[in-house]
Amino acid sequence: MAYEISDHGLGRDTMTKAKAKKPEAEDLGWVRLIRMRRLANGLLVLIMALFVFSHIWEPPGQEWDMHWRFVRAFAEAAMVGGLADWFAVTAIFRRPLGLPIPHTAVIPNNQDRIADAVGRFIADNFLKGELVAERVKDKDLSETLAKWLADPAQSGALAGGLVQAVPALLDALDDETVATFLRQQAADAAEGAHVAPAFGSVLEALAEQGRHQHILDALLKQGYHLMEANKDLIRDKVRDRSGWLMRFVSADRKVADTVINAVNDLLYDVASDPRHPLRAQLNDMVIKFADDLRDDPVLQARIGGWIKEAAAHPTVGQAVEAGWSEFKAALRRDCASPDGRLKAWLEGALINVGEGLLREPGVRTALNARLRSLLVELADRHGEDVAKLVSETIRRWDSATIVEKLESNVGRDLQYIRLNGTVIGGLVGLVLHAGAEIL
């Protein structure tokens, strides 16, 4: 295994170490960094070999002696420049050769200060209210948003992302907690002062439209069937309440049949005559009941108590839990389906919003004013919070993480500095040696 000087000090082949430490070395940034590091290390090793060779071997003949001194001067200066830049680049990220040299490993040793500086830079240069206001004052934010939403590809992607987040949100919800919340909301909503007046208004609207008559028609129909099905029972009841004389002459049966026929005739008349007096009486009863629901506190409290008791009943609780479980299962199935209705509905709604904004310049103007004001307000209110979040995030990072992030982004350029330092150092050595020869 070959050994060479690297940014980690003296150690094994750099590429082998990088693969061992970072399985994701296929990342383009790291591949480029490793390639440039090997090039800089290779040039430095070549210059060091030239330096050693220039001092060990002397060229034969006096005519080569002056030229060889230039080669030796170039090798010396290039090696010094290369080693100096290697030390400087390495000291930014870690201790060269692992030695506790002061003012090395600059980034790991100044992590807190770097975190504060980055957070402060973001707050002062991006999240000041006046800066945000200046940047967005001429921007048509709503038009940009509208065009983005009106694009089916963008709206589809956004809708898909929202739908994909639904199962995770459902997983985060505890079933018992949700069921308890729903039962509590039902109990709170059952207050008579809230439910009864609303129900009274709905009942009055139905009465004005004559919809309650349909209920009466259904009751009349059921009443007729009930009478037909219980004729014998009615005859028995009449017989039990009749005297012996009426039973002897079978008058009780005639009375029972008369009652049954009279009731059936009444049901038929009411069912067939929309203007029957009983229907008008029913209409008055419904309107009076609706007024009582809106104005009678006793009735409101009574209804509220009934609904509260019903909401607290274990059967209702089980129904709520079962309904919630079924709703979750149905929602999961819909989200998992490529042709889910929720995704299609969201996508259509987003596209409609975008197209609607594009058609309404007045709405966009009003929305722009609101968006600009909102952005400035958010910057003033939360700019410091964002800066603090950035600082605290960088503080919590492992120092090796920070070094890897920075080195993968700027390390390649730093290796160019090493190359330039080696070459320029050698050229400076040539100039200095030529000046000394001339003097």
Side-chain angles (χ1 to χ4, degrees), residues 395-412:
R395 286 176 188 272
R396 287 195 298 267
W397 279 347
D398 179 69
S399 58
T401 301
I402 297 179
V403 169
E404 288 175 1
K405 288 180 179 295
L406 292 177
E407 197 169 12
S408 65
N409 284 280
V410 302
R412 185 167 178 263

Side-chain angles (χ1 to χ4, degrees), residues 40-41 43-51 54 70-86 417-432:
N41 290 337
L43 180 60
L44 182 57
V45 170
L46 180 63
I47 291 298
M48 293 173 67
L50 179 62
F51 169 78
S54 67
F70 275 96
V71 172
R72 185 179 298 167
F74 174 83
E76 290 176 353
M79 186 180 66
V80 171
L83 286 173
D85 285 340
W86 165 82
I417 292 177
R418 291 183 55 196
L419 290 173
N420 293 336
T422 302
V423 175
I424 292 175
L427 295 177
V428 171
L430 286 177
V431 172
L432 293 177

Side-chain angles (χ1 to χ4, degrees), residues 60 95 127 300 304 360 365:
R95 297 186 183 280
L127 299 178
Q300 293 173 357
E360 300 292 341
T365 300

Side-chain angles (χ1 to χ4, degrees), residues 334-413:
D334 188 78
C335 292
S337 172
D339 301 322
R341 287 178 291 180
L342 178 59
K343 180 178 182 297
W345 179 83
L346 280 175
E347 183 177 351
L350 292 172
I351 292 175
N352 288 336
V353 169
E355 292 176 347
L357 285 175
L358 290 175
R359 288 194 303 266
E360 300 292 341
V363 176
R364 291 204 310 274
T365 300
L367 183 58
N368 279 332
R370 295 291 182 88
L371 288 175
R372 293 182 189 119
S373 176
L374 177 62
L375 290 175
V376 173
E377 181 181 353
L378 290 176
D380 285 333
R381 182 180 300 178
H382 299 294
E384 292 296 329
D385 296 335
V386 173
K388 185 178 179 181
L389 175 63
V390 172
S391 298
E392 291 178 352
T393 300
I394 296 177
R395 286 176 188 272
R396 287 195 298 267
W397 279 347
D398 179 69
S399 58
T401 301
I402 297 179
V403 169
E404 288 175 1
K405 288 180 179 295
L406 292 177
E407 197 169 12
S408 65
N409 284 280
V410 302
R412 185 167 178 263
D413 294 320

Side-chain angles (χ1 to χ4, degrees), residues 50-51 53-78 425-439:
L50 179 62
F51 169 78
F53 180 74
S54 67
H55 282 77
I56 293 177
W57 185 76
E58 291 287 343
Q62 193 70 21
E63 66 276 6
W64 284 97
D65 184 58
M66 183 180 69
H67 299 86
W68 194 245
R69 289 198 301 271
F70 275 96
V71 172
R72 185 179 298 167
F74 174 83
E76 290 176 353
L427 295 177
V428 171
L430 286 177
V431 172
L432 293 177
H433 183 74
E437 290 290 335
I438 291 173
L439 293 175

Side-chain angles (χ1 to χ4, degrees), residues 18 23 47 52 59-60 88 110 148 164 178 183 190 194 196 212 223 266 272 275 282 288 319 322 351 359 416 426 439:
I47 291 298
V52 173
N110 293 275
W148 191 83
Q164 289 176 3
V178 173
R183 288 197 299 269
H194 299 95
H212 65 297
L266 178 62
S272 60
R275 300 183 181 276
L282 174 65
K288 183 179 184 305
I351 292 175
R359 288 194 303 266
Y416 273 112
L439 293 175

